[in-house]
Amino acid sequence: MDYNELKRKFQLHFALELNSKPKLKFLMYDIFVFGSAYIVGGYLRDFLNSIASRDIDIIVDLDNEKLLEIIQNSEVEYTINRHKGIKLHFPNITVDMWSIENNWAFKNELVKLNDKDKLQSIAKGCFYNYDSLVVNLHSFNMNIQYYLNFKAEKKLEILQKSPLYKILNPTTEANILRAFYLKKIYHIDFSSNTKKYLIDKIGEITDKRLNPLLQLELTKASYKKYTSSLSESEIESSILELYKENNFDKQIYLKL
């Protein structure tokens, strides 16, 4: 399928989604009056792989105050999480929406937001290449190059090399679980950048005198996908394998 055909088919796919959810359709129209919006991650990936989606992640190019005002004036049921993301509740699907100013990578100036190429900026702001898919909901232009690299190389990569970028990411335990989950499901490898991140973060959990396996089990409870797909023994095996491959003493990092 060529690029223009892909754009056309996704545009039709999303139009059908909106037509089945009138409240979301009218909300998106109200947003488009003031700014642009971008779908990021799994919804586009699911479309490419002909999988039904359970959620949609949307970054809106508006300040958070204006976005919240538009949502409050709609009839959509919503909640706000601790990262200022807005969760919209619809039958059979959830929409996670947040202002571009509240994206952690842009907010902390870890990724430069290029006004002339926001698709590329948003794509590079994604943590893992597996999740780096972006589509502009005005033009339906896409950036899926990093995801295609993941598929071609079968390797999970953290897109940014900056230590500060990795230190400030707010979802450390979830990132570790996601890496283990993706390796199990897709039989992929970790890049050297990803391996170092995982080893360092598991080590940091241990340095706080916490049991990394217990911490990951506690985090797993908040993610249904990981609860049903990663057992405690599989998480333990993943940690041990990671350290064995990289010649670390498991007794130092894994106090079970």
Side-chain angles (χ1 to χ4, degrees):
M1 188 187 309
D2 67 27
Y3 181 66
N4 289 328
E5 179 70 3
L6 179 61
K7 285 173 56 176
R8 186 188 69 79
K9 287 195 171 184
F10 182 79
Q11 185 173 5
L12 176 60
H13 175 76
F14 190 61
L16 291 172
E17 188 79 70
L18 292 182
N19 287 338
S20 70
K21 298 171 181 62
K23 288 184 180 180
L24 177 59
K25 182 177 183 177
F26 292 124
L27 173 61
M28 294 307 301
Y29 285 168
D30 287 342
I31 288 171
F32 290 154
V33 170
F34 299 97
S36 300
Y38 303 83
I39 285 179
V40 182
Y43 186 82
L44 179 52
R45 184 180 60 242
D46 288 345
F47 166 76
L48 294 175
N49 292 289
S50 301
I51 298 171
S53 294
R54 296 177 298 179
D55 51 55
I56 310 174
D57 293 323
I58 301 179
I59 289 182
V60 180
D61 195 7
L62 285 174
D63 65 73
N64 191 66
E65 185 176 341
K66 184 63 180 178
L67 174 59
L68 193 55
E69 176 190 325
I70 293 170
I71 292 173
Q72 287 171 337
N73 289 334
S74 74
E75 297 181 359
V76 176
E77 180 185 347
Y78 71 94
T79 53
I80 300 175
N81 67 26
R82 62 191 176 91
H83 300 301
K84 297 186 179 180
I86 304 167
K87 189 175 289 291
L88 310 175
H89 305 279
F90 298 95
N92 304 319
I93 203 163
T94 298
V95 178
D96 289 309
M97 187 175 288
W98 66 99
S99 168
I100 202 166
E101 71 181 24
N102 282 333
N103 175 276
W104 70 275
F106 299 134
K107 186 175 182 178
N108 292 288
E109 299 182 345
L110 301 172
V111 177
K112 181 177 175 56
L113 184 60
N114 184 344
D115 287 332
K116 295 182 180 179
D117 193 357
K118 288 185 177 177
L119 268 180
Q120 175 69 358
S121 297
I122 294 170
K124 290 183 70 175
C126 296
F127 194 74
Y128 287 131
N129 56 354
Y130 176 77
D131 298 307
S132 183
L133 307 92
V134 188
V135 56
N136 182 310
L137 292 178
H138 270 112
S139 66
F140 288 92
N141 289 331
M142 300 178 182
N143 188 319
I144 57 174
Q145 68 185 77
Y146 300 111
Y147 173 67
L148 294 180
N149 289 343
F150 166 86
K151 290 191 68 176
E153 299 174 6
K154 292 189 175 297
K155 185 173 291 185
L156 186 66
E157 175 67 279
I158 298 173
L159 293 178
Q160 297 290 327
K161 303 297 190 291
S162 162
L164 190 59
Y165 172 92
K166 288 174 279 190
I167 289 169
L168 291 180
N169 185 282
T171 56
T172 297
E173 286 84 358
N175 292 338
I176 296 170
L177 286 172
R178 189 156 184 75
F180 292 163
Y181 167 81
L182 293 174
K183 186 166 187 178
K184 174 187 174 181
I185 298 298
Y186 295 108
H187 308 289
I188 49 92
D189 294 321
F190 299 144
S191 71
S192 58
N193 187 32
T194 301
K195 285 180 183 178
K196 184 177 187 308
Y197 171 80
L198 296 174
I199 290 169
D200 287 349
K201 291 304 178 183
I202 294 169
E204 286 177 13
I205 294 171
T206 306
D207 289 343
K208 295 175 183 176
R209 299 186 181 278
L210 298 172
N211 183 313
L213 182 56
L214 177 59
Q215 290 303 114
L216 293 174
E217 278 294 306
L218 291 171
T219 301
K220 191 178 75 171
S222 301
Y223 296 87
K224 292 181 180 178
K225 180 186 294 184
Y226 305 143
T227 302
S228 60
S229 302
L230 278 175
S231 68
E232 181 176 341
S233 62
E234 286 174 326
I235 294 173
E236 179 181 355
S237 295
S238 295
I239 296 173
L240 294 175
E241 180 184 353
L242 182 67
Y243 285 102
K244 182 178 179 181
E245 286 178 355
N246 293 276
N247 298 316
F248 283 87
D249 183 351
K250 67 182 181 184
Q251 297 303 320
I252 296 176
Y253 290 93
L254 187 61
K255 299 176 181 177
L256 300 177

